[in-house]
């Protein structure tokens, strides 16, 4: 069972997070810290007590925007420790997800925190610790194949795959672009490429996956190839240029 530390400068949010963590059967203990400095002292004490000591911490659920030392600063400090705890970021802002991935975060949970979304973060932490988790109390339902689930302001929304014009790789995440905006999901680009190949998505670059039906123009300029998707021009790598031209020529 995991021993958790929740860190948030907003007292009601911290108390709710600690409550939800203690309600999860995979969490042995969950305590709270009101700022990153207090958390750092608590983590130092945990490391001194050893992995099996009474003060040990397995995972930190960490807010990002806090006065003084913020969550990203604390996570960077932890990377220098010999046996740091795992880190799950819990924040109201999706803009820091790529930085969180660079710091080897286990997960990135958006506020307001939903019980089932937190349960998924705990599952990932348990897996990374190498333990076998018991069945979760709350079932997590997979969406149908015509939609993908995204999280916006703590609310799960189902985006039709047909609305997605292209996908951009951002580390272990992918940014889904539609005509109305974009959404960040924790799914590698290679996974989406395999899942959506039959739906007309094709890789044009190591960073981009594009829906053929949304390509408006194929442009050739001094040996370089690009495509126009909506108002955005995307570069096509040499490796993928011939396959893309063939697919567009066969497109009805």
């Amino acid at each position: 069972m995991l021993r958790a530390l929740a860190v948030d400068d907003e007292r009601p949010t911290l108390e709710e997070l600690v409550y939800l963590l203690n309600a999860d059967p995979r969490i042995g203990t969950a305590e709270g810290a009101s700022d990153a400095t207090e958390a750092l002292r608590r983590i130092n004490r945990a490391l001194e007590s050893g992995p099996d000591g009474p003060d040990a911490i397995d995972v930190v659920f960490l807010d990002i925007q806090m006065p003084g030392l913020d969550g990203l600063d604390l996570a960077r400090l932890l990377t220098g420790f010999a046996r740091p705890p795992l880190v799950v970021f819990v924040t109201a802002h999706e803009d820091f997800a790529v930085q969180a991935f660079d710091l080897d975060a286990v997960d990135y949970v958006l506020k307001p925190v939903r019980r089932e979304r937190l349960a998924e973060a705990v599952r990932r932490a348990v897996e990374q610790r190498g333990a076998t988790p018991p069945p979760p109390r709350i079932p997590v339902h997979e969406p149908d194949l015509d939609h993908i689930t995204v999280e916006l302001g703590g609310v799960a929304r189902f985006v039709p795959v047909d609305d997605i014009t292209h996908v951009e790789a951002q580390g272990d995440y992918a940014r889904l672009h539609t005509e109305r905006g974009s959404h960040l999901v924790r799914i590698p680009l290679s996974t989406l490429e395999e899942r959506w190949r039959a739906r007309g998505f094709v890789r044009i670059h190591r960073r981009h996956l594009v829906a053929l039906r949304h390509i408006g123009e194929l442009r050739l300029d001094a040996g370089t190839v690009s495509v126009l998707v909506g108002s955005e021009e995307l570069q096509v790598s040499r490796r993928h240029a011939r396959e893309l031209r063939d697919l567009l020529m066969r497109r009805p």
Side-chain angles (χ1 to χ4, degrees):
M1 299 178 74
L2 295 179
R3 295 153 296 187
L5 177 67
V7 187
D8 200 301
D9 63 308
E10 297 180 356
R11 177 58 59 179
T13 302
L14 179 62
E15 291 176 352
E16 176 71 7
L17 184 55
V18 170
Y19 171 79
L20 291 174
L21 288 170
N22 278 317
D24 192 300
R26 296 161 296 187
I27 299 292
T29 60
E31 300 179 355
S34 59
D35 58 49
T37 302
E38 179 186 350
L40 187 58
R41 286 196 295 266
R42 177 72 179 80
I43 293 167
N44 274 318
R45 191 163 72 246
L47 294 175
E48 289 172 1
S49 73
D52 299 318
D55 296 321
I57 296 172
D58 298 306
V59 56
V60 180
F61 290 81
L62 183 58
D63 188 21
I64 289 182
Q65 292 192 325
M66 295 182 289
L69 192 69
D70 68 22
L72 292 172
D73 292 332
L74 177 57
R76 290 188 188 98
L77 289 173
L78 293 181
T79 60
F81 289 19
R83 289 178 56 88
L86 302 174
V87 173
V88 173
F89 284 104
V90 183
T91 176
H93 307 279
E94 71 168 25
D95 301 341
F96 302 103
V98 174
Q99 295 176 62
F101 166 75
D102 289 340
L103 292 168
D104 295 325
V106 172
D107 207 346
Y108 192 89
V109 179
L110 291 176
K111 297 178 181 178
V113 177
R114 294 180 293 112
R115 186 187 295 266
E116 61 271 23
R117 182 64 184 85
L118 187 63
E120 171 63 13
V122 172
R123 182 192 67 78
R124 291 175 176 173
V126 170
E127 283 189 353
Q128 194 149 328
R129 275 295 180 207
T132 302
R137 289 179 178 175
I138 301 171
V140 178
H141 299 286
E142 291 294 329
D144 62 80
L145 297 177
D146 293 329
H147 298 78
I148 184 169
T149 306
V150 302
E151 211 172 295
L152 185 61
V155 177
R157 297 187 179 180
F158 301 102
V159 175
V161 174
D162 287 345
D163 288 355
I164 298 169
T165 60
H166 62 287
V167 186
E168 180 184 1
Q170 293 189 347
D172 207 22
Y173 292 77
R175 183 167 292 278
L176 313 176
H177 293 268
T178 71
E179 293 180 355
R180 292 179 293 277
S182 68
H183 308 279
L184 196 67
V185 295
R186 190 188 172 97
I187 305 175
L189 191 67
S190 58
T191 299
L192 293 177
E193 179 184 11
E194 181 178 348
R195 184 184 300 177
W196 291 345
R197 184 178 293 117
R199 304 186 67 97
F201 282 81
V202 60
R203 180 76 75 103
I204 65 167
H205 190 275
R206 63 183 179 82
R207 292 192 58 205
H208 289 111
L209 186 68
V210 172
L212 287 172
R213 61 185 168 278
H214 288 290
I215 294 178
E217 294 181 9
L218 177 68
R219 297 178 173 179
L220 305 175
D221 182 20
T224 64
V225 182
S226 62
V227 291
L228 191 65
V229 181
S231 61
E232 190 167 354
E233 185 174 0
L234 303 175
Q235 194 75 26
V236 181
S237 68
R238 291 183 180 180
R239 175 184 174 189
H240 299 288
R242 175 171 293 182
E243 179 189 6
L244 178 62
R245 285 198 299 266
D246 291 344
L247 288 171
L248 290 174
M249 290 293 291
R250 296 198 302 266
R251 185 174 64 174

